[in-house]
Amino acid sequence: MKTLQFREAIVEAMSEEMRKDESVYLMGEEVAEYNGAYKASKGMLDEFGAKRVIDTPIAELGFAGIGIGPTMTGCRPIIEFMTFNFALVGIDQIINNAAKIRQMSGGQFPCPIVFRGPTGSAGQLGATHSQAFESWYANCPGLKVVVPSNPADAKGLLKAAIRDNDPVIFMESEQMYGDKGEVPEGDYTIPLGVADIRREGSDVTIVSFGKIIKEADKAADELQKEGISCEIIDLRTVKPLDYEAILKSVKKTNRLVILEEAWPFGNVASEITFHVQSHAFDFLDAPIQKINTADTPAPYSPVLLAEWLPNHTDVVNAVKKVMYK
């Protein structure tokens, strides 16, 4: 094992795959000369050159489409959005082209492409730079959606995403790029669609993903002091979703809390809630609790932002509610 920052794990994953496969290349705003807006492609231009690490104009619709086209001739592009808020400019290409090429060509053309970049809030960046679109993309058949929460998962999942023959939405966070963690040496991948039991417990299941899962960790530590044992599931992949892991845990703990950085209407937590009550209703000892952001655009005020974004206290309160304490 070695210790890497999250951004370094991203660089390693892309670089290793580009060394192995000449059809893989990286394209996006400031990925080359500037080493990436968040230094998540540092050193790649020097190693692979301007034909495989390509700076683009500020035109997401254009370079999303330019990336999708070559998948039909054998290329495996990685398209970086400076933030997924900007991916909305190119969402027509993602939803109407990338997600549908395989089906509409009768299976003749797979679309092996990775769209990656930051998701969710990252402090006081304003409402248009603080949105989580995981459930939007997960709602579209043909797309896979990955949201890692630590450097080891980031590397293993990104390598698997690059090798996948379907389009993958790979969502990171500005606030995680500096996170450090142990990463296995050598070549390894993590299968898409397999959740991680981040912490084993017996009293309540907490499901989350991405950077917000850190609040679940804090809550579990606090609740442990009160004798409440929390099992934490890190989804890692939102689509496909590891329903089996969630159901198995709920059947053990009989209680479920879902923590997600997203607006409360029609999100990943809603889908999980429906699935669990459909397939494990008789195992539940309390109604499922889901924790989301407030149903408003993200505020700029630090005081309001703290109220808008879920935190570990919200998790503690939700767990106590399902425990009837």
Side-chain angles (χ1 to χ4, degrees):
M1 303 287 280
K2 57 184 175 182
T3 300
L4 293 179
Q5 287 186 331
F6 193 103
R7 61 168 58 88
E8 293 171 330
I10 295 292
V11 173
E12 278 204 358
M14 293 191 293
S15 297
E16 288 176 9
E17 293 306 302
M18 287 174 68
R19 291 180 196 122
K20 289 176 58 177
D21 187 346
E22 291 187 355
S23 70
V24 180
Y25 64 90
L26 173 66
M27 181 166 59
E29 297 154 349
E30 299 185 351
V31 299
E33 294 289 345
Y34 193 66
N35 285 310
Y38 309 103
K39 305 306 179 213
S41 54
K42 187 176 180 179
M44 293 181 65
L45 174 63
D46 292 339
E47 179 175 356
F48 299 104
K51 288 188 176 181
R52 297 185 67 198
V53 182
I54 306 164
D55 277 330
T56 68
I58 302 174
E60 289 79 9
L61 174 62
F63 65 78
I66 289 171
I68 293 166
T71 65
M72 292 185 281
T73 61
C75 291
R76 309 183 78 87
I78 306 165
I79 305 301
E80 178 180 313
F81 296 118
M82 196 176 294
T83 157
F84 265 96
N85 295 279
F86 303 159
L88 296 188
V89 182
I91 199 169
D92 175 59
Q93 302 281 20
I94 298 169
I95 299 296
N96 278 330
N97 297 136
K100 296 174 174 61
I101 284 174
R102 182 191 286 272
Q103 183 186 25
M104 293 183 70
S105 68
Q108 295 179 81
F109 296 115
C111 187
I113 188 170
V114 176
F115 298 99
R116 51 159 293 270
T119 184
S121 63
Q124 290 177 264
L125 298 183
T128 58
H129 290 65
S130 304
Q131 303 170 105
F133 294 118
E134 293 90 343
S135 61
W136 284 33
Y137 288 109
N139 191 254
C140 179
L143 299 177
K144 297 178 180 178
V145 181
V146 179
V147 193
S149 65
N150 59 76
D153 285 359
K155 182 177 179 182
L157 289 166
L158 182 52
K159 286 170 70 70
I162 294 168
R163 297 178 191 183
D164 200 286
N165 284 328
D166 289 311
V168 179
I169 308 295
F170 195 92
M171 305 177 112
E172 303 153 16
S173 168
E174 292 102 318
Q175 292 184 325
M176 289 197 299
Y177 285 123
D179 288 0
K180 292 183 178 180
E182 290 190 335
V183 176
E185 298 273 7
D187 183 33
Y188 76 98
T189 61
I190 296 173
L192 305 187
V194 179
D196 178 42
I197 307 301
R198 189 180 178 103
R199 177 179 184 140
E200 293 194 358
S202 57
D203 294 326
V204 59
T205 299
I206 303 174
V207 174
S208 189
F209 58 92
K211 77 174 189 293
I212 200 73
I213 202 169
K214 295 177 186 178
E215 299 301 317
D217 293 334
K218 293 177 188 176
D221 289 340
E222 186 174 321
L223 290 162
Q224 188 66 49
K225 297 173 184 176
E226 300 181 33
I228 299 174
S229 175
C230 300
E231 180 149 297
I232 300 178
I233 296 179
D234 184 348
L235 292 178
R236 301 197 291 200
T237 304
V238 168
K239 184 77 171 286
L241 196 61
D242 192 349
Y243 294 109
E244 184 178 346
I246 298 169
L247 291 174
K248 183 178 180 181
S249 180
V250 169
K251 289 177 180 180
K252 177 175 71 171
T253 67
N254 310 116
R255 296 172 177 86
L256 175 61
V257 172
I258 310 164
L259 171 64
E260 178 187 5
E261 184 184 342
W263 298 303
F265 187 90
N267 50 38
V268 176
S270 300
E271 166 61 21
I272 294 171
T273 298
F274 174 79
H275 193 86
V276 171
Q277 68 87 24
S278 296
H279 296 88
F281 180 81
D282 291 339
F283 290 88
L284 290 171
D285 288 341
I288 297 167
Q289 296 292 311
K290 69 187 190 80
I291 307 166
N292 298 111
T293 64
D295 196 14
T296 69
Y300 178 77
S301 159
V303 176
L304 293 176
L305 184 63
E307 288 296 317
W308 179 83
L309 190 65
N311 58 44
H312 73 282
T313 301
D314 298 320
V315 181
V316 168
N317 292 337
V319 167
K320 289 185 176 180
K321 188 170 183 178
V322 299
M323 297 290 296
Y324 300 108
K325 292 191 176 183

